[in-house]
Amino acid sequence: MNNNQENIDKIFKNTLSDYEVESPAGEWEAIKYDLDKADKQSKIIFIYRFAAIFLLFTLLASAYIIFNFKNIKNKNFSNGLSEKTALYKTKKDTKPVKKHYENIKNNNINLQDKVSYKQPNKNNTTNKVSNTNINEKQAIAEKNTEQIEIIATIEPKPPKINRKVKASQEIIFPKEYIENVINEIYNQTAENSEKKPKNFDKWEVGGQFAPVYSYRQSNINNALVKAGTNLGSVSEISQNLKSLEKSAIVFSGGFKVNFKPSKKLSIQSGIYYSQYGYIQNNVNLNYNYDGVASAYNQIYTSQGVLIIAPKSSEVNQKNITNNREELNSINLYNDRNNQISEYVITKDVTQLFNYFEMPLVLKYAVFDKKIKLELMGGLGANVYLNNIVYVPEKNGRQILGETTTPTNIFNYSGIMGIGFNYPILPKLIFNIEPSFKYFINSSYKDLLLKSHPYAFSFYTGLNYKF
Amino acid sequence: MKNVIDDISKIIEGCKRGNRNAQEKLYNKYSKLMFGLCLRYSNNYDEAKDILHEGFIRIFKYIDQLRDINAFEAWMKKIMVNSALEKYRNKMQTNSLIDAAEKNIDNYSIEAELSEKELLKMVQELSPQYRLVFNLYAIEGYSHKEISDMLNISEGTSKSNLSRARAILQEKIKSITSEFSMKNKYE
């Protein structure tokens, strides 16, 4: 019996192990389509990862800079007085003292250095401060500050100054130290004191969001028209496109970082998710009664060939078949046995292109008071993510397909605009930035029409400065 | 022979780089053989087509993991078999066991009398699990232990399935050959 079984195995193995059958026609194309799709997805994943790393890097860099900046300030200041433990109190007007205190901090002035620096000037007749009696100075300073009291809590390692410890764990600073502070205040308030440059926050981080008016500018490739296409003349194509396509409202938003090397100038970058799009008028969408696409519609547009392939789950049959008015506008086919087996609906179809945008924008403040007005201009690197074709529905949208025309992954746009900044809190700025973006390169490869998307965006957002 | 290997090596290298032309060459070179295998693991053309499609996608996806070029064909077959197994798992159907009695078959060569298509049809007509076990054991050369791991069944079930599959095939061969003999007798 075993022999028989082995014989059976042998028969089949010998005959079928290397049996070849002609593979199905068009199978390679189907495999190729899936491979292309997988490649596209892996590129998108790469882009997402890149964006995440970029964002992380930016955040870490910002955190590092903030941390270092504060450390430097603390280090310099702690030679005289710890920033954390010092507290100035004035009964009526704290501004001059605070301002002085801030100036000491921000200019990285070491109080002890300041004292030693001032010693040689004591006999200088041009310096009124050094020759002024301490009581007079104090009187002048107090006139400005309305009775100053400097209090500090105890530190584990106190600054190298003599101190008296109160029962309440507060330190009253020694006379010499208060003298120095009073000298500083005097210097600041005295007419002959030198004017120091005002300090400002160099960094801003924030988020922005914008509704975007988006469309495209199409340049017809004359050479191709001359070479003979059946699309008609240049003017005919332009006219056709005007009647077939219109602008769309889309969205953009992201995270931004602003660095100010000077008071008026700033450089802005960040990472944004940006959409561009347009609407194709009166597209005929074919459906089976089951909601399955009866055929793959292909629409030739300025943005490539759109492939419309609705899925059954995404077709709202009830709305279509129950709505009388809509039914009247539907072309019905194959009406066998009083059953509608196929229908066509004419709708406006929106095509969206999604990008990651990394702008580099130079801003110049032309007006800088309570409200700041800036002019801005720069470039943006736009990394293509994907595109979708959809029809707006009552409860969202019905995604129909996408374009299969090869799309440029890396695109560059010119950016210009104006920015209004208003501080709603000392460190928090509300900003409005109307801007215009234009794709320098065509968004598609090898297309009869070179298409340059553009967008008017109305960004609003909040910035935190430090 | 060396040229052939060099040629395949170049194609594989191209495939590893994701070159579409190389992938197309590879497909053209092996699709017939692979489709023959897919047909053995399915009971209809469309299902075999799906297995072929999925199998080639996987081949291109994992080809950079291939180390031994000499074992490339076996590696491809293994991927196709795995695709077929996955298809089987996804489309698991409750098939009633066929109680076919084991019958002896005369120990003569009938290979010449049976065409590849007829044998393929017989395999395709087996129930899905019998078909898998028979293909894996008799044609691919896997052991019952390996088959039991692949299909998540016991070794005993694998042996039993193989035995029943053989019995069914024996029966089919016997009926065909007897028809053939009768035909010859009266002609």
Side-chain angles (χ1 to χ4, degrees):
Chain A
M1 193 169 102
N2 275 344
N3 245 359
N4 279 336
Q5 287 178 347
E6 279 168 18
N7 200 30
I8 285 285
D9 291 358
K10 199 178 164 191
I11 291 165
F12 281 91
K13 188 171 184 177
N14 289 347
T15 315
L16 296 179
S17 63
D18 291 324
Y19 176 53
E20 291 190 353
V21 181
E22 195 65 48
S23 60
E27 188 52 33
W28 166 245
E29 277 67 34
I31 291 169
K32 195 180 163 199
Y33 176 81
D34 278 359
L35 290 171
D36 288 342
K37 208 172 170 182
D39 278 0
K40 208 185 270 182
Q41 277 171 348
S42 65
K43 273 177 194 164
I44 289 168
I45 289 166
F46 168 77
I47 290 161
Y48 274 117
R49 281 182 185 163
F50 175 78
I53 290 165
F54 178 81
L55 194 63
L56 190 67
F57 177 78
T58 312
L59 287 171
L60 286 175
S62 305
Y64 176 78
I65 290 162
I66 294 165
F67 182 75
N68 265 12
F69 192 59
K70 280 192 176 172
N71 263 2
I72 290 163
K73 283 198 289 185
N74 285 344
K75 199 177 174 184
N76 286 329
F77 194 74
S78 65
N79 290 330
L81 178 67
S82 166
E83 182 190 26
K84 286 179 183 171
T85 55
L87 176 68
Y88 285 69
K89 277 189 182 176
T90 62
K91 286 186 178 171
K92 287 184 182 174
D93 184 6
T94 61
K95 280 183 184 173
V97 176
K98 280 187 176 173
K99 197 171 182 182
H100 158 76
Y101 178 78
E102 288 294 326
N103 276 342
I104 291 170
K105 282 200 300 176
N106 294 335
N107 292 316
N108 299 331
I109 295 167
N110 182 318
L111 277 177
Q112 285 186 345
D113 290 348
K114 201 83 179 173
V115 174
S116 63
Y117 169 75
K118 288 210 170 289
Q119 294 306 319
N121 292 336
K122 275 195 171 174
N123 297 324
N124 188 342
T125 50
T126 57
N127 189 336
K128 288 179 184 176
V129 179
S130 59
N131 293 330
T132 310
N133 183 284
I134 184 68
N135 291 332
E136 287 171 20
K137 288 181 204 168
Q138 189 165 1
I140 294 163
E142 281 179 3
K143 198 179 174 184
N144 288 290
T145 59
E146 298 283 345
Q147 201 172 355
I148 303 163
E149 201 181 340
I150 304 167
I151 300 168
T153 54
I154 294 173
E155 280 187 304
K157 288 185 179 177
K160 291 175 184 175
I161 49 174
N162 296 324
R163 60 196 174 96
K164 291 175 184 176
V165 180
K166 276 187 176 180
S168 62
Q169 294 291 294
E170 289 179 341
I171 304 164
I172 292 184
F173 278 65
K175 190 181 173 185
E176 308 89 76
Y177 181 77
I178 296 172
E179 267 181 33
N180 283 330
V181 174
I182 290 166
N183 271 336
E184 291 294 335
I185 297 163
Y186 180 83
N187 278 343
Q188 205 173 20
T189 53
E191 284 181 4
N192 60 351
S193 66
E194 286 178 11
K195 281 190 177 177
K196 290 171 184 173
K198 284 183 183 176
N199 210 343
F200 58 91
D201 293 310
K202 290 198 168 182
W203 290 90
E204 281 180 16
V205 290
Q208 284 188 313
F209 178 79
V212 178
Y213 170 91
S214 171
Y215 203 28
R216 83 289 174 277
Q217 190 233 340
S218 296
N219 294 327
I220 297 161
N221 190 332
N222 286 314
L224 282 170
V225 173
K226 280 175 191 168
T229 62
N230 56 4
L231 293 173
S233 67
V234 171
S235 60
E236 280 170 346
I237 296 169
S238 300
Q239 198 57 40
N240 277 341
L241 288 175
K242 272 182 189 172
S243 65
L244 290 174
E245 296 174 4
K246 63 184 179 188
S247 60
I249 301 295
V250 291
F251 296 98
S252 173
F255 167 82
K256 75 170 186 177
V257 182
N258 209 17
F259 175 69
K260 292 165 79 172
S262 74
K263 185 92 174 123
K264 295 224 168 198
L265 203 66
S266 63
I267 301 159
Q268 185 176 306
S269 187
I271 189 150
Y272 290 75
Y273 178 77
S274 296
Q275 294 179 326
Y276 291 85
Y278 73 105
I279 294 170
Q280 184 79 12
N281 295 327
N282 303 323
V283 175
N284 288 335
L285 303 172
N286 297 344
Y287 296 102
N288 282 339
Y289 185 62
D290 297 332
V292 180
S294 57
Y296 281 70
N297 293 33
Q298 290 199 351
I299 310 165
Y300 294 87
T301 73
S302 65
Q303 304 290 296
V305 181
L306 308 189
I307 305 295
I308 308 288
K311 290 174 188 170
S312 57
S313 58
E314 291 164 348
V315 178
N316 193 341
Q317 292 177 52
K318 283 185 182 173
N319 280 353
I320 293 163
T321 48
N322 290 341
N323 188 334
R324 284 269 169 206
E325 285 178 17
E326 201 166 12
L327 260 177
N328 291 336
S329 69
I330 297 172
N331 302 312
L332 306 173
Y333 294 110
N334 301 338
D335 190 4
R336 286 181 211 152
N337 305 321
N338 294 325
Q339 284 194 336
I340 304 161
S341 60
E342 191 176 327
Y343 50 85
V344 174
I345 308 172
T346 305
K347 284 192 172 181
D348 288 354
V349 165
T350 305
Q351 189 180 19
L352 269 191
F353 297 86
N354 297 315
Y355 294 91
F356 263 136
E357 182 188 3
M358 281 162 274
L360 189 65
V361 176
L362 206 62
K363 295 162 113 180
Y364 184 78
V366 288
F367 180 81
D368 191 5
K369 299 288 179 189
K370 182 80 175 170
I371 293 176
K372 188 195 253 186
L373 172 64
E374 292 173 314
L375 296 180
M376 45 195 268
L379 287 170
N382 299 272
V383 184
Y384 170 76
L385 294 176
N386 59 6
N387 81 87
I388 52 166
V389 181
Y390 69 91
V391 173
E393 295 275 312
K394 283 173 192 169
N395 302 320
R397 59 193 185 187
Q398 180 196 345
I399 295 171
L400 301 176
E402 61 177 352
T403 178
T404 53
T405 308
T407 313
N408 282 321
I409 299 293
F410 294 98
N411 304 273
Y412 301 94
S413 57
I415 303 168
M416 57 185 286
I418 50 173
F420 299 94
N421 294 286
Y422 179 79
I424 52 174
L425 288 172
K427 293 280 181 184
L428 202 64
I429 314 291
F430 173 71
N431 64 69
I432 298 172
E433 284 177 7
S435 65
F436 174 71
K437 295 174 193 173
Y438 178 82
F439 266 42
I440 297 164
N441 60 298
S442 176
S443 57
Y444 278 104
K445 297 171 186 170
D446 310 324
L447 200 68
L448 172 67
L449 300 169
K450 297 290 175 193
S451 179
H452 301 261
Y454 63 80
F456 291 100
S457 311
F458 196 81
Y459 283 103
T460 54
L462 289 172
N463 293 351
Y464 176 76
K465 63 178 184 177
F466 51 90
Chain B
M1 182 65 185
K2 200 190 169 200
N3 284 342
V4 175
I5 291 170
D6 284 350
D7 190 33
I8 292 169
S9 300
K10 278 179 190 172
I11 292 173
I12 291 170
E13 286 308 311
C15 291
K16 283 183 179 178
R17 290 193 303 271
N19 183 301
R20 285 282 178 277
N21 287 335
Q23 288 171 338
E24 190 172 2
K25 276 182 189 169
L26 189 85
Y27 175 83
N28 290 336
K29 196 170 178 64
Y30 290 101
S31 62
K32 289 177 189 171
L33 182 66
M34 293 301 137
F35 195 53
L37 182 148
C38 295
L39 282 168
R40 271 195 285 119
Y41 281 86
S42 56
N43 62 354
N44 64 66
Y45 189 85
D46 286 340
E47 197 177 278
K49 193 174 150 184
D50 286 350
I51 297 167
L52 182 80
H53 185 99
E54 197 52 45
F56 266 105
I57 296 282
R58 284 181 187 189
I59 286 165
F60 295 134
K61 189 176 175 184
Y62 298 114
I63 198 162
D64 56 342
Q65 294 174 8
L66 177 76
R67 296 284 170 266
D68 183 7
I69 291 174
N70 295 322
F72 177 63
E73 198 174 304
W75 179 80
M76 278 182 91
K77 280 185 175 176
K78 199 170 181 180
I79 286 185
M80 280 295 165
V81 169
N82 285 335
S83 298
L85 289 178
E86 193 158 303
K87 186 86 181 167
Y88 164 74
R89 286 190 199 107
N90 291 340
K91 296 183 80 178
M92 183 86 81
Q93 289 169 355
T94 49
N95 288 301
S96 58
L97 293 175
I98 301 167
D99 292 316
E102 274 191 29
K103 288 177 185 174
N104 289 340
I105 184 167
D106 296 335
N107 199 9
Y108 59 86
S109 174
I110 53 164
E111 288 170 57
E113 296 170 19
L114 291 167
S115 72
E116 292 167 327
K117 279 186 182 174
E118 280 170 322
L119 288 175
L120 181 65
K121 196 171 173 247
M122 286 179 205
V123 175
Q124 287 183 325
E125 281 170 0
L126 290 171
S127 71
Q129 191 158 317
Y130 289 0
R131 187 167 61 241
L132 278 175
V133 173
F134 181 77
N135 272 317
L136 291 169
Y137 186 90
I139 302 178
E140 255 66 62
Y142 287 98
S143 68
H144 283 298
K145 174 81 179 69
E146 287 169 318
I147 295 168
S148 67
D149 289 341
M150 287 162 108
L151 300 180
N152 203 19
I153 55 174
S154 69
E155 279 186 60
T157 310
S158 175
K159 284 175 186 171
S160 157
N161 286 343
L162 178 70
S163 176
R164 287 170 192 270
R166 279 171 173 160
I168 293 164
L169 293 171
Q170 270 181 335
E171 190 63 34
K172 285 176 187 288
I173 289 170
K174 200 172 181 184
S175 66
I176 287 176
T177 47
S178 55
E179 270 177 36
F180 185 78
S181 312
M182 291 284 279
K183 213 175 169 183
N184 281 349
K185 197 175 176 182
Y186 291 107
E187 275 178 359

